[in-house]
Amino acid sequence: DGGITQSPKYLFRKEGQNVTLSCEQNLNHDAMYWYRQDPGQGLRLIYYSQIVNDFQKGDIAEGYSVSREKKESFPLTVTSAQKNPTAFYLCASRGQQETQYFGPGTRLLVL
Amino acid sequence: EDQVTQSPEALRLQEGESSSLNCSYTVSGLRGLFWYRQDPGKGPEFLFTLYSAGEEKEKERLKATLTKKESFLHITAPKPEDSATYLCAVRVNNNDMRFGAGTRLTVKP
């Protein structure tokens, strides 16, 4: 059963702490994306990767970092430099006809 | 600047009361317009892709249409299970995807 998985579903971050959100896909897609969703706003692009070992900053990359060591995996680290990290984080991969398919999301909360 | 605006922000319908959601866009070079459905606390679920003005796509009670400046998502005889937030997104020349803020639809029995 192909799809995108994200973990954990909920994540709590303490001040000054780095946390990592997991995203895995078994759709054999090359391109993967991380978005942030805040109430009343459209999804905003944090980082994207078109291919393994390559990634590009999106519109709101400050305070975040990513890696793409495997085709299936695109983890996102929220660093202590991100001062307002509370949001719903969505991972996506791009398939045929440029359609992006999304994972179930991770909600990040600050303690 | 590329922009996507969805209206209304929220829409409440009675079961069976048909209506339309609007997505207007100003982009430098449209390479596809996408509609998604998002349930609370979940990731968006892909519905349709439209590429050129005049194109239409249908799925059950939903029909999406596209003009040069906007897209409509028509909902015919909605049911309570159609309640969700509907997101519109456009792909532009540099492969960026721009999302609207969504329309939150509530269908009451």
Side-chain angles (χ1 to χ4, degrees), chain A residues 20-21 23 32 34 47 49 51-55 64-70 72-77:
Chain A
T20 297
L21 286 62
C23 177
M32 296 186 73
W34 274 106
Y47 268 98
S49 169
I51 199 167
V52 174
N53 292 323
D54 183 63
F55 49 82
Y64 301 97
S65 66
V66 293
S67 62
R68 187 85 187 278
E69 297 176 1
K70 298 187 301 181
E72 301 79 16
S73 179
F74 190 38
L76 173 74
T77 296

Side-chain angles (χ1 to χ4, degrees), chain B residues 33-52:
Chain B
L33 185 140
F34 303 80
W35 282 99
Y36 291 85
R37 170 194 170 123
Q38 186 175 25
D39 292 302
K42 297 190 177 181
E45 174 190 344
F46 171 70
L47 293 173
F48 304 109
T49 308
L50 302 166
Y51 288 102
S52 55

Side-chain angles (χ1 to χ4, degrees), chain A residues 4 27 29 31 33 92-102, chain B residues 31 33-36 45-51 57 91 97:
Chain A
I4 303 172
L27 301 168
H29 290 167
Y33 303 79
S93 66
R94 190 176 80 222
Q96 293 182 350
Q97 298 184 326
E98 303 182 349
T99 300
Q100 291 187 17
Y101 298 92
F102 287 85
Chain B
R31 290 181 58 186
L33 185 140
F34 303 80
W35 282 99
Y36 291 85
E45 174 190 344
F46 171 70
L47 293 173
F48 304 109
T49 308
L50 302 166
Y51 288 102
K57 294 271 181 75
R91 177 169 294 286
M97 187 90 103

Side-chain angles (χ1 to χ4, degrees), chain B residues 13-74:
Chain B
L13 300 173
Q14 287 296 129
E15 184 171 3
E17 180 186 1
S18 301
S19 189
S20 297
L21 283 56
N22 177 263
C23 172
S24 62
Y25 59 90
T26 53
V27 297
S28 53
L30 181 69
R31 290 181 58 186
L33 185 140
F34 303 80
W35 282 99
Y36 291 85
R37 170 194 170 123
Q38 186 175 25
D39 292 302
K42 297 190 177 181
E45 174 190 344
F46 171 70
L47 293 173
F48 304 109
T49 308
L50 302 166
Y51 288 102
S52 55
E55 190 175 358
E56 297 183 355
K57 294 271 181 75
E58 282 190 71
K59 180 180 180 180
E60 296 180 356
R61 294 176 293 282
L62 301 176
K63 184 169 81 171
T65 61
L66 181 65
T67 72
K68 288 186 178 180
K69 293 294 183 185
E70 59 191 348
S71 176
F72 291 94
L73 185 65
H74 307 278

Side-chain angles (χ1 to χ4, degrees), chain A residues 6-7 11 18-23 33-36 46-47 60-61 63-67 73-79 89-91 108:
Chain A
Q6 291 185 242
S7 62
L11 186 58
N18 293 353
V19 293
T20 297
L21 286 62
S22 169
C23 177
Y33 303 79
W34 274 106
Y35 291 92
R36 170 180 172 140
I46 304 173
Y47 268 98
I60 56 165
Y64 301 97
S65 66
V66 293
S67 62
S73 179
F74 190 38
L76 173 74
T77 296
V78 184
T79 74
Y89 290 87
L90 289 161
C91 177
L108 177 60

